[in-house]
Amino acid sequence: MGDERRDVIEVLTHDHREVEEMFDELTAATDAEERRRITDDVTIELVRHSIAEEIHLYPAVRSVVPDGDQIADREISDHAEVERILKELEQADPSHEGFNTLVNRLIEDVSAHVEDEEGTLFPKLAEHANADQLMDLGDKVQSAKRTAPTRPHPSAPNTPPLNKLLAPGAGLVDRVRDRLTGRGSD
């Protein structure tokens, strides 16, 4: 998937499939260390994806989709819940039964969110935005994912303008922490 341009729906749908594959890996893993590694990878991907959507996708949905405010608010609320679960998982012991409960809640919440985005938000966006807007959003989302935080920050703002100002700084700090600890490096 190199550097070719893709529209926002293609970019985000691809992300959804990647996360689903990671969930399959996570539920199949039995070793606690492997479960921690996969959970860290899932967290990195979900946080980057969520931040990119909050910075670029949802403002676009608000401006071009007739009931966009309501849709964006619901999606942001879903993100906040997922981020709370990710924060708990970050501190949970992967060999403890509570870890499995959190993983199951995460998979359930993310799956419902993906179904909602792909079944409702994406078709409405495709109906009301033109091809250039969708391509431009795809570029912006991919760019935002490169600088987005990699760890959950449930108390951080998730709507513009503050999220646009704070996400790159938090992302830099997270990537430095990841590099120092080796998190997400495999």
Side-chain angles (χ1 to χ4, degrees):
M1 290 267 166
D3 286 337
E4 80 273 7
R5 291 185 74 204
R6 295 180 292 155
D7 77 38
V8 69
I9 295 170
E10 291 174 286
V11 170
L12 296 175
T13 301
H14 179 262
D15 286 357
H16 292 165
R17 300 295 83 81
E18 279 188 340
V19 168
E20 288 166 354
E21 287 175 25
M22 288 183 205
F23 283 158
D24 290 345
E25 258 186 82
L26 182 57
T27 54
T30 51
D31 176 66
E33 201 173 298
E34 184 182 10
R35 291 173 61 74
R36 167 57 59 208
R37 181 191 58 75
I38 297 167
T39 301
D40 287 346
D41 289 346
V42 165
T43 299
I44 289 167
E45 183 55 35
L46 285 175
V47 169
R48 286 178 174 162
H49 177 90
S50 296
I51 296 288
E53 286 184 337
E54 289 165 11
I55 290 174
H56 298 293
L57 177 67
Y58 301 145
V61 167
R62 289 181 194 284
S63 70
V64 301
V65 175
D67 51 349
D69 283 334
Q70 184 183 348
I71 293 170
D73 289 345
R74 184 177 61 242
E75 301 296 338
I76 288 170
S77 173
D78 288 352
H79 282 191
E81 180 54 28
V82 165
E83 204 158 353
R84 282 191 288 276
I85 297 168
L86 290 172
K87 194 70 187 165
E88 285 183 59
L89 270 171
E90 193 177 54
Q91 293 153 12
D93 178 351
S95 62
H96 192 270
E97 188 50 43
F99 190 86
N100 293 334
T101 304
L102 286 170
V103 164
N104 292 335
R105 255 182 53 215
L106 178 69
I107 292 171
E108 205 173 282
D109 285 7
V110 169
S111 297
H113 177 74
V114 163
E115 197 174 303
D116 192 39
E117 272 190 352
E118 293 182 6
T120 303
L121 187 151
F122 292 171
K124 286 186 179 194
L125 185 62
E127 181 185 341
H128 296 284
N130 65 43
D132 287 341
Q133 288 171 309
L134 294 174
M135 277 300 196
D136 187 45
L137 274 173
D139 294 342
K140 287 177 177 175
V141 162
Q142 287 180 297
S143 176
K145 283 181 63 181
R146 286 191 285 275
T147 60
T150 60
R151 295 169 184 264
H153 297 278
S155 56
N158 53 17
T159 54
L162 286 178
N163 66 346
K164 287 185 180 184
L165 294 172
L166 299 177
L172 177 64
V173 170
D174 288 351
R175 285 188 301 284
V176 168
R177 282 178 64 199
D178 292 347
R179 177 114 352 111
L180 292 171
T181 62
R183 178 178 176 266
S185 60
D186 12 76

